[in-house]
Amino acid sequence: YAMLLSLIFLIVLVAAIVGFVFRHEIKTNFESNLNLALENYNVTADGHSEAVDTIQRTLHCCGVQNYSDWERTEYFSQRGIPRSCCKNQNDCSEEDLKDPNKAKLKVFVDGCFFLVTSTMESKMSVVAGISFGIACFQLIGIILSCCLSRYITNNQYEMV
């Protein structure tokens, strides 16, 4: 049992270290994937487009760096900025979303990349605290299972 807990502890420790070391690569990869999702954004029900809409609605943001990122997409030339960027869904017409000057007043101007990464970084302390607590319980379990094993081998019980 102690060996199993030790193995799990080491796996979690290695995963945490790898995540910490490669955090900048994770950010860069996320930004490039978000840019790719904007380029391939369409109105069909694919997962990437739904994810972009969900992020924009939830975090009240638009585009990667700001709302003007949509101007470089094919979707913008056809329909303008997506409705998921609108501050008020009832006050957002398709004509407004096609004109960047009018859209600036109707959509969220902040980009999603900064908001997503700052939200993730703010939640990292909670994740680290929970992980540290679980690691402490694992270490206590390893120590107690070793003590139990030593106690059992020192006091040979009679088999009935």
Side-chain angles (χ1 to χ4, degrees), residues 45-98:
D46 70 326
H48 299 289
S49 298
E50 289 177 21
V52 169
D53 287 337
T54 302
I55 289 171
Q56 292 181 151
R57 276 192 204 103
T58 306
L59 296 178
H60 303 293
C61 60
C62 189
V64 179
Q65 300 300 329
N66 57 36
Y67 76 99
S68 63
D69 293 335
W70 283 104
E71 294 176 34
R72 297 186 297 266
T73 64
E74 189 174 326
Y75 182 83
F76 181 82
S77 61
Q78 296 170 357
R79 296 193 158 181
I81 297 173
R83 294 188 66 79
S84 60
C85 286
C86 293
K87 294 177 185 175
N88 183 358
Q89 295 294 321
N90 299 328
D91 188 31
C92 241
S93 67
E94 194 169 319
E95 293 80 30
D96 292 339
L97 294 174
K98 286 184 178 181

Side-chain angles (χ1 to χ4, degrees), residues 16-154:
I17 291 171
V18 167
F20 181 75
V21 169
F22 292 111
R23 68 185 182 279
H24 297 296
E25 286 82 2
I26 293 169
K27 275 185 177 180
T28 305
N29 197 5
F30 174 71
E31 184 177 18
S32 64
N33 284 331
L34 192 57
N35 277 317
L36 187 63
L38 257 64
E39 289 173 18
N40 297 328
Y41 184 87
N42 56 26
V43 290
T44 60
D46 70 326
H48 299 289
S49 298
E50 289 177 21
V52 169
D53 287 337
T54 302
I55 289 171
Q56 292 181 151
R57 276 192 204 103
T58 306
L59 296 178
H60 303 293
C61 60
C62 189
V64 179
Q65 300 300 329
N66 57 36
Y67 76 99
S68 63
D69 293 335
W70 283 104
E71 294 176 34
R72 297 186 297 266
T73 64
E74 189 174 326
Y75 182 83
F76 181 82
S77 61
Q78 296 170 357
R79 296 193 158 181
I81 297 173
R83 294 188 66 79
S84 60
C85 286
C86 293
K87 294 177 185 175
N88 183 358
Q89 295 294 321
N90 299 328
D91 188 31
C92 241
S93 67
E94 194 169 319
E95 293 80 30
D96 292 339
L97 294 174
K98 286 184 178 181
D99 182 11
N101 295 323
K102 290 181 184 175
K104 183 177 185 179
L105 304 171
K106 307 267 182 172
V107 300
F108 303 112
V109 291
D110 295 330
C112 294
F113 175 71
F114 175 73
L115 289 174
V116 169
T117 54
S118 63
T119 302
M120 286 174 44
E121 288 172 355
S122 69
K123 305 293 183 202
M124 282 308 217
S125 60
V126 174
V127 171
I130 291 171
S131 300
F132 181 73
I134 291 171
C136 288
F137 279 118
Q138 283 182 319
L139 288 174
I140 291 170
I142 291 168
I143 292 168
L144 290 177
S145 64
C146 288
C147 291
L148 180 62
S149 172
R150 182 171 292 178
Y151 180 76
I152 289 173
T153 55
N154 287 342

Side-chain angles (χ1 to χ4, degrees), residues 151-160:
Y151 180 76
I152 289 173
T153 55
N154 287 342
N155 299 323
Q156 297 293 324
Y157 287 104
E158 291 183 26
M159 301 285 284
V160 178

